[in-house]
Amino acid sequence: MKPQMITLHINGRTHYVALNPNLTLLVALRDLGYTDVKCGCEKGDCGACAVFLNGVAVNSCLVLAWQADEAEILTAAGLGTSEHPHPLQTAFSDAGAIQCGYCTPGMIISAKALLDQKPHPTDAEIRDAISGNLCRCTGYAQIIQAVQSAAEKMDAGGEG
Amino acid sequence: MEKQNFQVVGHVTPRKDGVARVTGQEKYTVDMTLPRMLYGRTVCSPYAHARIISVDTTAAEAMGAIVLTFKDIPQIRYNERIITVEWALHKDHYILADKVRRMGEPVVAVAAETEELAEKAARAVKVEYEPLRVLVDPIEAMKPGAEPLYETVMYGDKEIKVVNNIACTREVIEGDVDKAFAESDVFVEGTFKTHKIYHAQMEPKSVLCHPEPDGGITVWATTQSIHNTRIVLGQIFDIPLSKINVKRMAVGGTFGSSIQMNSVVPIGVALALKARRPVRLTLTREEDMHDHGRFGTDAHLKIGAKKDGTLTGIEMEMTADLGAHIIQGYSFLGVSIGWVVSLYRLPNVRYKGVGVYTNKAPGCAMQGYGNPQATLAVESLLDELAEKLGMDPLVLRLKNYVGLGMTFWGQGPMVRSIVWSDGVPELLGKGQEIIGWDRRENPNTKSGRFRRGIGLGRGFHTTSAGAPQPGDVIDFSGALVKVNQDGSVDVVSAMVDHGGGTWEAIAKLVAETLCVPLDKVNVVPSDTFSTGYDVCTHATRGTYAGGGAAVKVAEQVKKEIFETAAHYLNVQPDALKLRMDHEQDQAVIYVPSIPDKKMTLKQLASRTWSESWKTIAAVDSYRPTNCPPAYVTIFLEIEVDTWTGAVRTLRTALGVDCGTVVNPDGAVGQLEGGLSRGLGMALYEDNEWDNQGQLLSKGYWVDAKTPGIMESPALKDLNTHFADTYEPTGPFGAKGIGEAALNPVPAAYANAIYNAIGIRFYELPITPEKILGALMEQENIVKEGVH
Ligand code: FES
Ligand code: FES
């Protein structure tokens, strides 16, 4: 197996990397320092590794890095900064939707994917959208709450 | 100290680490890298029980990998959890297996330039095994003639023989059970079984090790105790502790799984020392699922009572499935009876606990440490007793519970203290009202496909393992508090935060003591070099003991602030007071009777820096002399679908008596998280093994049935509430919550399901299959009865 050159556009930055074709996008992103993309299981079970790949939320452990060649990738760190967090990030922090925080980046990606499609989601739609993300700490109720309150804020402020 | 109006404590404030966590900037051990770092992998056994005949590492070495086998490691048996004192510690574990006792046990370790190469090298290692008979059932394992897992283990510094795979036993006798039973009018008894379930913490266990030029080592590790990790490493590698530094990290949840030094830690250290380069080693999810789990239990309890509902005594026998290593089996046997006799007044006790080795994941602490198992049994039996006596289960509980002024076993028979604060009546009252207890109907009045039931589980957890006298558990914390030159405050503590907000609580308690605005008080990054000893974040002790240490030290700092300010203001130190000034965003030191005698803490700190040449600081240790119970009551309304066996949670009332509530939103989060994990334990989770010691889930998390968002009740139906109490021995009246939040949940489900369908389950999880099976049997019995 020979390394292959690929181009990854991550959070607005372009990286040219040589990678073995069997490496997952998760490993590629984390090796490049995007450790906000969390590794929970590497089997598609937990959703901690979720990122946007050309606007679609995927579990990056189930995508090979070369499949993302030339794609636009957005991770949770790319959604907002300490100074300007995304409304979902603010809502997660304010609503008590985080404890250990290990599931949080993936949760926020899944939640954003939902709000991109459905700005006014119902409780059932939120559950459906988050059903691929595990959280062992919170019991999920505050996560649902956070998504709802972010939706309201974004609606009022036109952000997102 | 008594109740007071707080400025910071009890207020909802934005979580300090919130921004880092939501923007993905928080670094966990698994995120750490170092220049020239090698990647570690282990060669894991494909058998659950086997002798290692030969190991051939030539091919791996030819690839340039660093390789460690059993003969390369220190030949020292250790116990990775040293919260228990040395004389009560069993040690049966080497860094790498001398013989394989569970599936996935690390036999050889490698390190290489890339993860891929490390994996290849690990696969190139040839190990020849002689498979032995696998023992997954503790009852089978105890039979004479069963294949022994161990010939001997260490107990303290003595080598002892292991007979019939029994790792440890413990007996407790109090009063006279025979006499008590002879005087009893009614008895309830049952055998309750719980399985070895998986912690399912989100962050896979990891370690990064950096060998230092002086022969020392720096370690970043997933752990609940940096100091205990350092001490065990010192013992194994014979390196002075002054050369071992363990960094305190954010952890992605633990639920008890990192109470011990994790198995990856000494392997990583050994690899790094051999390679003379940094090494990172992380368990895969599958390896993690074989690495640790809850203790499985099989307990028979018999409780006697008088006609008026007064409990008289208990007889209990329990077998605990320890798995392949003893991490804390002996103390587990002790606490298990402790939880029982601290739930209700049972003056006469006869108990025998047996801990048995099996070829499964080693059991370690998991939220509640035997308490959910014990509470399931006791709370189920109390409901049965109430039914026999025709009493309201709530009244029976109020009559017998261990409350104010009574003796309480915080951590087994050797850790006893007195209850000083008790919110139980209030919690039961509120919960009763929220859930509508009075409209609870008899199960035999229910029919149709969907049947609703209301159930109660009452419980508690010890807050810390503090006690007036020494016991078999070490419990104390340290803190260093210093005032910086701008009046802000650093708190240096070894206490780990699992995610529940322990650091937030500690910062709030110090801010309250020193009247410094919360954003100017920080619990700073720390390590074993910069902190005094802290035993571990376990036993629901974070806020109470870790916070207690910080408050003790902050009080000393306050004294020094007054003494130093007295000098500048030319007044008596005793005349000085502190207040928080929101306009100046500062603590102000002042004399109430003389308005112009005042200065801000910033002014004081700046003058002590330039004119008095000192730092206002203090450092000390703190051992709580008590281990107050954090009481929890869980009321549930559930609905059983009698066609599918599925249980839906409709409404809950989750109440806690945690004394003063330090982080109100964090406290709510603890209750909700506890419900979720308790629901998983009650209804779904089962890390099942086949007869060859392989996990049926094969390492797939979803198959271990960790609850997801679909099972979770909506926020509006949860109804969390707090008792209005004040714990006189706690910092500003606080106790803990943590483990208490889960302990009564499985019992509440069992009782609610009984109330819905009239069938009592004695074994967890209560799956749809079990419910359907039991319903069919019930139907047959009814039919037979009719004909
Ligand atoms: S790490 Fe990708 S789904 Fe768990
Ligand atoms: S906050 Fe810890 S796993 Fe979700």
Side-chain angles (χ1 to χ4, degrees):
Chain A
M1 215 171 336
K2 278 245 165 66
Q4 240 179 351
M5 278 302 289
I6 60 167
T7 309
L8 298 173
H9 307 286
I10 310 165
N11 299 344
R13 273 182 71 185
T14 299
H15 298 263
Y16 304 99
V17 277
L19 288 175
N20 276 349
N22 62 348
L23 275 191
T24 63
L25 181 59
L26 170 65
V27 171
L29 289 170
R30 288 180 57 82
D31 279 354
L32 284 167
Y34 295 89
T35 52
D36 57 307
V37 185
K38 294 297 179 213
C39 171
C41 66
E42 296 191 275
K43 288 178 170 174
D45 271 357
C46 74
C49 64
V51 299
F52 281 104
L53 185 63
N54 289 330
V56 180
V58 296
N59 282 337
S60 62
C61 70
L62 298 182
V63 177
L64 291 173
W66 66 264
Q67 293 176 292
D69 190 14
E70 287 298 349
E72 291 289 340
I73 296 157
L74 183 63
T75 75
L79 281 180
T81 60
S82 301
E83 297 72 35
H84 301 288
H86 186 276
L88 268 166
Q89 291 172 321
T90 311
F92 265 68
S93 185
D94 288 352
I98 45 166
Q99 284 187 32
C100 79
Y102 201 84
C103 68
T104 311
M107 288 277 177
I108 287 178
I109 295 289
S110 298
K112 180 168 188 302
L114 168 71
L115 297 189
D116 286 350
Q117 300 296 318
K118 298 207 168 90
H120 308 286
T122 62
D123 181 87
E125 285 166 340
I126 296 174
R127 285 173 190 261
D128 205 45
I130 308 281
S131 61
N133 294 75
L134 289 178
C135 172
R136 189 57 154 170
C137 300
T138 65
Y140 305 98
Q142 310 286 358
I143 289 173
I144 299 173
Q145 188 70 8
V147 178
Q148 256 152 5
S149 87
E152 281 158 27
K153 288 241 172 62
M154 285 161 74
D155 198 34
E159 281 178 83
Chain B
M1 266 198 282
E2 52 182 45
K3 250 189 190 52
Q4 41 191 289
N5 286 330
F6 298 120
Q7 318 222 40
V8 190
V9 163
H11 294 249
V12 175
T13 49
R15 209 179 140 129
K16 281 169 179 286
D17 52 17
V19 170
R21 291 184 182 200
V22 293
T23 55
Q25 298 175 72
E26 187 74 274
K27 287 256 189 291
Y28 304 82
T29 302
V30 63
D31 300 329
M32 302 301 294
T33 51
L34 286 172
R36 300 185 66 245
M37 179 181 95
L38 298 173
Y39 293 82
R41 287 293 295 140
T42 52
V43 178
C44 298
S45 164
Y47 299 101
H49 200 185
R51 256 187 280 281
I52 300 163
I53 303 299
S54 68
V55 175
D56 178 358
T57 60
T58 351
E61 272 153 340
M63 292 175 187
I66 303 288
V67 184
L68 278 182
T69 65
F70 182 73
K71 63 178 186 355
D72 304 315
I73 55 155
Q75 303 293 307
I76 288 178
R77 280 185 278 187
Y78 62 90
N79 188 317
E80 48 270 77
R81 173 191 170 275
I82 54 166
I83 290 164
T84 301
V85 294
E86 172 76 14
W87 60 259
L89 266 192
H90 295 78
K91 301 170 193 164
D92 64 22
H93 208 174
Y94 293 99
I95 298 176
L96 293 170
D98 56 331
K99 169 194 169 189
V100 170
R101 298 180 179 90
R102 68 164 170 90
M103 188 73 69
E105 184 147 26
V107 175
V108 175
V110 302
E113 297 292 338
T114 64
E115 211 158 10
E116 211 182 344
L117 192 60
E119 180 70 38
K120 269 193 191 149
R123 287 181 193 212
V125 172
K126 288 197 197 80
V127 185
E128 198 190 326
Y129 299 93
E130 179 199 334
L132 300 170
R133 200 176 140 227
V134 176
L135 294 161
V136 289
D137 176 13
I139 306 295
E140 285 296 312
M142 273 193 291
K143 286 193 179 148
E147 186 72 46
L149 271 78
Y150 293 88
E151 299 295 335
T152 66
V153 299
M154 301 300 291
Y155 184 57
D157 51 11
K158 289 189 293 288
E159 188 163 14
I160 57 165
K161 261 191 149 47
V162 180
V163 181
N164 297 336
N165 289 314
I166 294 173
C168 52
T169 56
R170 208 157 173 174
E171 286 181 40
V172 175
I173 292 179
E174 304 251 318
D176 184 344
V177 172
D178 294 323
K179 185 163 171 272
F181 279 3
E183 290 163 3
S184 299
D185 303 313
V186 37
F187 297 93
V188 277
E189 64 183 307
T191 302
F192 295 84
K193 286 187 188 174
T194 67
H195 295 193
K196 229 176 200 315
I197 61 177
Y198 175 51
H199 295 78
Q201 83 293 349
M202 283 291 283
E203 180 198 4
K205 291 180 175 183
S206 192
V207 71
L208 169 63
C209 309
H210 183 262
E212 300 296 342
D214 65 356
I217 187 126
T218 306
V219 177
W220 292 256
T222 318
T223 183
Q224 294 172 222
S225 172
I226 56 173
H227 281 281
N228 283 359
T229 298
R230 171 162 89 157
I231 294 167
V232 181
L233 285 177
Q235 288 168 351
I236 296 173
F237 291 96
D238 196 21
I239 301 174
L241 298 189
S242 57
K243 290 186 178 178
I244 306 174
N245 195 18
V246 181
K247 302 273 189 182
R248 196 195 66 197
M249 300 297 295
V251 288
T254 66
F255 315 106
S257 61
S258 290
I259 193 168
Q260 63 274 13
M261 175 191 70
N262 283 322
S263 54
V264 285
V265 177
I267 301 176
V269 169
L271 283 169
L273 289 176
K274 182 162 183 189
R276 302 303 312 156
R277 281 175 63 181
V279 173
R280 191 178 74 198
L281 176 63
T282 304
L283 292 182
T284 65
R285 186 54 63 180
E286 184 176 356
E287 288 165 359
D288 198 77
M289 290 172 81
H290 283 294
D291 182 74
H292 51 91
R294 197 185 267 286
F295 289 98
T297 55
D298 187 333
H300 182 85
L301 289 81
K302 180 177 176 185
I303 295 177
K306 299 263 192 204
K307 266 202 287 292
D308 68 353
T310 309
L311 305 183
T312 55
I314 181 163
E315 193 170 46
M316 173 168 168
E317 272 185 27
M318 185 184 80
T319 306
D321 182 351
L322 304 186
H325 293 287
I326 185 166
I327 296 180
Q328 46 195 128
Y330 181 71
S331 31
F332 182 81
L333 298 181
V335 295
S336 293
I337 184 66
W339 308 138
V340 169
V341 301
S342 301
L343 273 165
Y344 297 101
R345 292 192 300 282
L346 290 155
N348 302 292
V349 181
R350 184 159 59 222
Y351 166 74
K352 183 166 183 203
V354 184
V356 187
Y357 285 122
T358 58
N359 295 116
K360 296 192 283 192
C364 69
M366 181 168 176
Q367 190 171 17
Y369 191 29
N371 199 327
Q373 295 95 315
T375 304
L376 168 75
V378 174
E379 288 293 89
S380 298
L381 289 179
L382 249 78
D383 263 23
E384 284 188 25
L385 180 63
E387 194 175 325
K388 271 195 178 171
L389 293 170
M391 259 176 106
D392 183 336
L394 223 145
V395 175
L396 181 66
R397 284 170 171 81
L398 274 171
K399 190 179 175 82
N400 287 290
Y401 82 96
V402 172
L404 204 63
M406 297 173 201
T407 302
F408 167 85
W409 302 13
Q411 196 84 191
M414 297 192 71
V415 181
R416 300 190 191 200
S417 66
I418 300 283
V419 180
W420 297 109
S421 61
D422 169 8
V424 172
E426 184 185 341
L427 292 177
L428 285 172
K430 261 195 216 166
Q432 171 180 23
E433 204 175 294
I434 294 168
I435 211 75
W437 181 258
D438 300 336
R439 60 180 175 79
R440 180 172 176 268
E441 282 166 8
N442 207 305
N444 56 29
T445 61
K446 298 172 194 185
S447 59
R449 174 174 172 185
F450 297 102
R451 296 182 208 164
R452 294 190 170 190
I454 290 178
L456 160 65
R458 197 195 70 80
F460 70 93
H461 204 70
T462 177
T463 304
S464 86
Q469 80 285 18
D472 51 354
V473 190
I474 298 168
D475 196 294
F476 73 96
S477 287
L480 159 64
V481 176
K482 57 186 164 72
V483 180
N484 299 320
Q485 290 64 37
D486 62 351
S488 65
V489 174
D490 291 341
V491 184
V492 192
S493 156
M495 185 135 240
V496 174
D497 184 342
H498 307 165
T502 308
W503 294 334
E504 199 72 28
I506 292 178
K508 278 184 165 172
L509 293 166
V510 171
E512 190 72 47
T513 312
L514 296 177
C515 300
V516 175
L518 183 60
D519 69 333
K520 291 194 165 60
V521 180
N522 267 326
V523 177
V524 299
S526 72
D527 51 38
T528 48
F529 278 173
S530 63
T531 54
Y533 182 82
D534 175 88
V535 64
C536 185
T537 309
H538 80 128
T540 305
R541 67 188 296 282
T543 301
Y544 179 75
V551 168
K552 177 181 178 184
V553 175
E555 287 290 348
Q556 295 168 9
V557 168
K558 189 167 159 183
K559 200 162 165 252
E560 204 184 328
I561 288 173
F562 288 156
E563 270 160 21
T564 317
H567 165 72
Y568 289 126
L569 295 172
N570 197 18
V571 294
Q572 282 278 9
D574 291 349
L576 287 168
K577 296 243 174 288
L578 265 175
R579 72 178 148 81
M580 195 179 292
D581 187 312
H582 292 288
E583 242 158 65
Q584 300 187 67
D585 200 23
Q586 273 291 326
V588 173
I589 308 134
Y590 68 104
V591 183
S593 53
I594 318 172
D596 61 335
K597 291 279 187 189
K598 63 174 182 199
M599 67 197 302
T600 64
L601 185 57
K602 181 176 180 168
Q603 286 163 340
L604 176 71
S606 153
R607 286 187 69 177
T608 43
W609 173 39
S610 54
E611 296 168 30
S612 297
W613 312 293
K614 70 167 182 182
T615 301
I616 297 178
V619 59
D620 209 343
S621 299
Y622 170 71
R623 173 182 166 87
T625 52
N626 220 39
C627 49
Y631 292 110
V632 166
T633 60
I634 307 287
F635 286 87
L636 299 175
E637 179 163 19
I638 55 110
E639 184 176 80
V640 179
D641 181 343
T642 57
W643 290 9
T644 65
V647 174
R648 199 155 69 90
T649 312
L650 303 175
R651 272 168 0 101
T652 73
L654 317 174
V656 64
D657 163 17
C658 57
T660 300
V661 187
V662 179
N663 286 331
D665 47 347
V668 166
Q670 293 296 295
L671 284 171
E672 293 172 354
L675 176 76
S676 171
R677 291 182 294 279
L679 173 155
M681 181 176 179
L683 304 180
Y684 314 113
E685 290 180 49
D686 194 354
N687 223 16
E688 276 182 283
W689 274 264
D690 68 13
N691 60 9
Q692 288 311 301
Q694 173 62 284
L695 279 173
L696 295 187
S697 66
K698 301 278 193 294
Y700 280 85
W701 202 340
V702 166
D703 294 332
K705 305 202 184 75
T706 301
I709 201 164
M710 292 302 187
E711 291 83 43
S712 148
L715 192 57
K716 66 170 182 21
D717 298 320
L718 289 175
N719 307 304
T720 48
H721 56 100
F722 300 104
D724 184 17
T725 57
Y726 188 92
E727 169 58 38
T729 67
F732 295 105
K735 304 191 258 191
I737 304 177
E739 295 168 87
L742 180 148
N743 291 343
V745 174
Y749 274 97
N751 285 343
I753 291 169
Y754 177 81
N755 184 244
I757 56 173
I759 299 171
R760 184 157 290 286
F761 291 88
Y762 296 90
E763 181 171 359
L764 299 185
I766 309 171
T767 57
E769 292 85 342
K770 282 190 200 157
I771 291 180
L772 275 188
L775 280 167
M776 279 184 212
E777 212 172 284
Q778 185 191 43
E779 216 166 278
N780 287 338
I781 291 169
V782 172
K783 275 185 196 147
E784 276 165 26
V786 170
H787 295 299

